[in-house]
C-alpha cells in the first residue's frame, strides 16, 4: 500500500474509531453483548480479497481467505510507428500488435488468536498455510514494410504459469464500530515455494521454442492492509 493512501484512509477512519470508542465507553458494563460466530471480511484497498471467519472460542477463530486480484487484467493494444532513415528518402513502416493477460489467485487458511484490550479494541495474531496460482500470457506481433514493398514479420509468445505453497504470519488490530461491524488493520509476512514454467516461442524466418522450469523461494512483507468485518 502506498504511504499516501494509508495516511488518507487513516485520517478518514480515525473519527469513526474515536466515535465508536466514545459510544461504547458510555455503555453500561451490565449490558448484554450479542455474540457472533461467523463473519465475512472485505479488504478495502489494493487487492480483491474476501475472507470467511468462524469463531472456535471467544478468543480464537479460523479464517479462509481468497485473493482474486488477477481479475480484470486483460490488455490489448495496437501501435503503428512510421519512421524515416537518416540516409536517403527511404521510408519504412512498422506495426506492432500486443496482447497480454495475467491472473493471480490465492487461498489461505489461518488460525487467529485475539487479546481483548477493551470492549471495542482487540489485537490479534496468527498464521497458516497458503496456496496460489499465477498465469501470464504475452503476444507481440511485429511487421515491417520496406519502401520496396517487401515485408518482414515475426510473432513472439510467452506463457508463464506458477504454482506455490507456503506459510503466512500476521498481526493486527480490530476495532468495533457498530453492533456487528468491525474495522481491522493488519500486517502480514509470507514465505512461498513456487514451481514456475515459462514457454517462449518466436516465429519468423527462423523458428525458435524454449521451455524453462524454475523453482523459486519468495519471502514477502505485505505491508499494512485495512478492511471491514460484517459479523452474523
Amino acid at each position: 500500500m502506498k504511504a499516501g493512501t494509508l495516511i488518507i484512509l487513516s485520517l478518514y477512519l480515525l473519527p469513526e474509531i474515536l466515535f465508536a470508542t466514545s459510544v461504547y465507553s458510555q455503555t453500561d458494563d451490565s449490558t448484554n453483548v450479542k455474540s457472533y460466530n461467523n463473519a465475512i471480511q472485505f479488504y478495502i484497498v489494493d487487492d480483491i480479497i474476501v475472507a470467511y471467519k468462524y469463531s472456535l472460542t471467544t478468543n480464537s477463530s479460523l479464517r479462509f481467505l481468497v485473493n482474486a486480484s488477477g481479475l480484470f487484467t486483460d490488455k490489448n493494444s495496437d501501435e503503428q510507428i512510421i519512421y524515416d532513415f537518416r540516409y536517403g528518402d527511404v521510408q519504412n513502416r512498422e506495426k506492432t500488435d500486443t496482447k497480454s493477460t495475467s491472473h493471480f489467485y490465492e487461498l489461505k487458511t489461518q488460525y487467529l488468536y485475539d487479546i481483548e484490550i477493551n470492549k471495542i479494541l482487540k489485537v490479534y495474531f496468527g498464521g497458516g498455510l497458503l496456496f496460489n496460482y499465477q498465469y501470464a500470457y504475452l503476444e507481440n506481433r511485429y511487421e515491417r514494410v520496406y519502401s520496396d514493398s517487401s515485408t518482414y514479420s515475426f510473432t513472439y509468445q510467452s506463457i508463464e504459469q506458477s504454482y506455490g505453497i507456503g506459510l503466512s504470519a500476521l498481526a493486527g488490530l480490530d476495532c468495533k464500530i457498530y453492533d456487528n461491524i468491525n474495522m481491522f488493520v493488519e500486517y502480514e509476512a509470507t514465505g512461498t515455494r513456487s514451481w514456475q514454467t515459462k514457454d517462449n516461442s518466436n516465429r519468423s524466418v527462423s523458428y525458435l521454442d524454449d521451455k524453462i522450469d524454475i523453482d523459486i523461494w519468495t519471502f514477502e512483507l505485505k505491508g499494512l492492509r485495512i478492511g471491514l468485518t460484517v459479523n452474523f
Side-chain angles (χ1 to χ4, degrees):
M1 180 192 304
K2 294 182 179 179
T5 304
L6 179 60
I7 293 173
I8 293 173
L9 282 172
S10 300
L11 292 175
Y12 172 77
L13 294 170
L14 181 60
E16 297 285 345
I17 297 175
L18 294 176
F19 173 76
T21 304
S22 175
V23 170
Y24 281 94
S25 65
Q26 296 176 23
T27 303
D28 188 358
D29 291 337
S30 62
T31 303
N32 293 325
V33 178
K34 189 174 181 180
S35 176
Y36 300 96
N37 291 326
N38 303 277
I40 298 294
Q41 295 183 311
F42 304 92
Y43 287 71
I44 299 175
V45 294
D46 284 348
D47 298 315
I48 303 174
I49 299 177
V50 179
Y52 167 74
K53 187 169 72 170
Y54 175 76
S55 297
L56 299 173
T57 64
T58 56
N59 58 359
S60 65
S61 59
L62 282 178
R63 183 166 70 172
F64 303 92
L65 185 147
V66 176
N67 184 338
S69 301
L71 298 176
F72 315 116
T73 57
D74 293 343
K75 179 182 178 182
N76 296 320
S77 65
D78 188 351
E79 181 181 11
Q80 187 174 88
I81 303 173
I82 299 175
Y83 66 94
D84 292 318
F85 287 107
R86 292 185 179 180
Y87 55 93
D89 297 327
V90 178
Q91 184 182 66
N92 297 333
R93 174 166 295 181
E94 187 176 282
K95 181 179 180 180
T96 303
D97 296 315
T98 302
K99 296 180 180 179
S100 63
T101 182
S102 63
H103 301 286
F104 177 79
Y105 305 101
E106 188 170 58
L107 173 66
K108 295 178 182 176
T109 58
Q110 298 172 330
Y111 174 81
L112 303 178
Y113 184 84
D114 58 73
I115 301 173
E116 186 175 292
I117 299 176
N118 54 41
K119 288 188 296 183
I120 70 165
L121 289 177
K122 295 179 180 180
V123 294
Y124 63 91
F125 54 90
L129 291 173
L130 67 87
F131 308 89
N132 59 43
Y133 170 73
Q134 187 167 0
Y135 172 85
Y137 173 79
L138 172 66
E139 178 181 313
N140 282 325
R141 301 183 63 184
Y142 173 86
E143 183 180 76
R144 179 181 293 178
V145 180
Y146 297 95
S147 56
D148 61 359
S149 298
S150 61
T151 62
Y152 168 78
S153 63
F154 71 86
T155 300
Y156 171 79
Q157 290 180 326
S158 174
I159 299 175
E160 297 184 15
Q161 295 188 82
S162 175
Y163 302 87
I165 183 172
L167 297 173
S168 68
L170 61 97
L173 177 67
D174 183 272
C175 174
K176 187 172 184 178
I177 299 177
Y178 299 108
D179 179 51
N180 68 327
I181 298 177
N182 294 32
M183 185 194 75
F184 65 91
V185 57
E186 64 185 34
Y187 192 91
E188 182 182 25
T190 61
T192 310
R193 173 71 182 274
S194 300
W195 294 266
Q196 185 180 79
T197 300
K198 292 185 178 182
D199 290 310
N200 301 315
S201 63
N202 187 348
R203 293 173 173 82
S204 59
V205 177
S206 60
Y207 183 86
L208 176 64
D209 267 345
D210 66 87
K211 183 176 181 179
I212 304 173
D213 294 324
I214 306 173
D215 294 344
I216 303 174
W217 284 97
T218 304
F219 300 94
E220 185 177 4
L221 297 177
K222 297 292 186 179
L224 289 175
R225 290 175 169 176
I226 298 176
L228 292 176
T229 301
V230 178
N231 301 286
F232 61 96

